Amino acid sequence: MRKIRKVTTGSGTYFVYDLVVDSSGKRKRVYGKSIDEVKKKIEAAEQERKHSLSYQKPNNTNLREYIMFYFKSVVGTIHATRLNRLINIVDNAVSRTPLNRDVQSITREEIAEFYVKLSHKYSFKDVIDIIDVLRKTFALAAESGLEVVDISDIASPQKEDVIPYASGYIMAEKELVQLRNYCIQENCVMYGINELVLIFCLFTGLRFQKAKTIHSYDVNLEKKIIVVDDKPFPLTEECCQWLEQMRESKILEMPSAQECTDSSIGITRYTNLLFVNKLGNSPTVNSLKGTLTAITNRLGMPLGIISKTIHQAVIISELEKGVSEKELAKRYGYKTERAISNIRAAYILQNKFL
């Protein structure tokens, strides 16, 4: 139990007390010239804290709302870059799970099971960070008057138990859009041509190796297609708008929609590969993998997001939009529809497992 301490220095004597460590991990300390003065300050600080909690707490008891409540309480105590990454990683980990409901209805058994699933989806460091935020969130919920279980003593996975999902992680539509929008909003200032290739693959579902082979004359914004292996490949309206912006900004060189009406212009003027740097070199697949890893890590996304699983995630997204397995098999060059069925089955199995 903490006690009021007497401190004597060259300038005199005073009393000090360490308040209870709050859910943000920030220590608060009060000082006074007498014990009575310190006690009054302790009482005032406790009343202020309770008032602050009752004023700021969410309108509903959903777990995600209380996680965001916790993050609001730690603004200024955690470096902004780390805080943003924590928000992303915890939101990604929790928002699409059965735990994202009334925090008062969540059991210790569910939390323990959730920890096991985390160990197959994230790195050991990320698992520990997510668990730490959950513990502090539950403590904050209890402190604000909710009847929640105590999860502080539920064992965390050990390092040797953290084994990411072996087959790679297939993103859900929300994660696919999150990753794509982040790359677009970041405006490719950090990763340059690599990020452009990544955005293109996130729109189309093409593998890195295939995207690298696209020439400028393969793009037809008028017909909203690109030519892949001598076959037309449909582009979404969003993808065409992005490509048009890149063309107008002179970031990528390709025919305009008007020029596409004259095929000879494309052949004579746009003969280079679409994705090349200032020296005319195409990025290597290994450098593209490194860029993808760096960005997903920055966003706090699960491990196992690779070119193959981006391809699979786009296929899942198209299936959910109503595109047939037959059409997707033809689009991506699969011999039979079974390949698309297998991707759907792998995604369903992943969600059961994770």
Side-chain angles (χ1 to χ4, degrees), residues 306-325:
I306 55 179
S307 176
K308 171 187 172 183
T309 58
I310 287 177
H311 166 74
Q312 294 172 333
V314 173
I315 286 177
I316 293 297
S317 175
E318 291 295 287
L319 286 170
E320 291 177 347
K321 292 174 184 175
V323 181
S324 70
E325 292 184 356

Side-chain angles (χ1 to χ4, degrees), residues 17-217:
Y17 179 81
D18 292 321
L19 290 171
V20 176
V21 178
D22 63 23
S23 55
S24 71
K26 182 172 62 177
R27 292 183 179 274
K28 296 182 180 180
R29 184 170 286 176
V30 293
Y31 301 88
K33 293 181 179 179
S34 68
I35 291 179
D36 286 342
E37 183 182 352
V38 171
K39 286 181 176 178
K40 288 180 181 178
K41 288 184 176 180
I42 292 171
E43 185 177 350
E46 289 294 332
Q47 290 299 323
E48 181 183 354
R49 182 173 59 82
K50 289 178 181 178
H51 175 73
S52 177
L53 284 174
S54 63
Y55 178 75
Q56 297 178 16
K57 70 180 183 180
N59 293 325
N60 64 61
T61 56
N62 182 275
L63 175 59
R64 186 178 181 277
E65 293 297 318
Y66 265 83
I67 288 172
M68 293 302 124
F69 179 31
Y70 161 72
F71 282 127
K72 287 178 183 177
S73 75
V74 297
V75 170
T77 68
I78 299 177
H79 191 279
T81 302
R82 173 166 169 73
L83 181 60
N84 285 334
R85 186 174 186 281
L86 280 175
I87 291 172
N88 283 325
I89 193 171
V90 177
D91 193 35
N92 286 334
V94 172
S95 62
R96 292 175 52 243
T97 71
L99 286 185
N100 191 24
R101 63 176 198 273
D102 183 354
V103 68
Q104 297 175 109
S105 69
I106 298 171
T107 66
R108 286 171 55 88
E109 290 73 24
E110 288 176 304
I111 292 292
E113 182 182 347
F114 180 66
Y115 287 178
V116 173
K117 290 186 176 182
L118 286 178
S119 67
H120 292 287
K121 190 173 178 180
Y122 294 92
S123 69
F124 179 68
K125 181 181 179 301
D126 289 343
V127 169
I128 296 305
D129 282 343
I130 294 167
I131 290 174
D132 182 58
V133 170
L134 281 177
R135 285 174 175 169
K136 289 174 178 176
T137 297
F138 270 73
L140 183 62
E143 198 175 357
S144 62
L146 297 187
E147 294 183 2
V148 296
V149 294
D150 179 8
I151 67 170
S152 61
D153 60 342
I154 298 178
S156 303
Q158 298 300 304
K159 192 168 186 178
E160 57 270 20
D161 298 327
V162 177
I163 307 171
Y165 193 54
S167 299
Y169 181 74
I170 306 172
M171 291 178 286
E173 172 72 11
K174 175 186 174 183
E175 294 168 314
L176 188 67
V177 172
Q178 178 192 12
L179 179 55
R180 190 174 66 214
N181 287 349
Y182 174 81
C183 292
I184 292 173
Q185 290 167 7
E186 206 232 6
N187 206 22
C188 310
V189 294
M190 185 173 291
Y191 303 102
I193 196 69
N194 285 27
E195 202 159 6
L196 293 173
V197 177
L198 177 55
I199 293 169
F200 184 71
C201 292
L202 288 165
F203 271 124
T204 61
L206 293 176
R207 305 279 190 91
F208 289 158
Q209 188 62 54
K210 185 66 69 177
K212 276 165 46 68
T213 66
I214 302 295
H215 285 78
S216 296
Y217 60 73

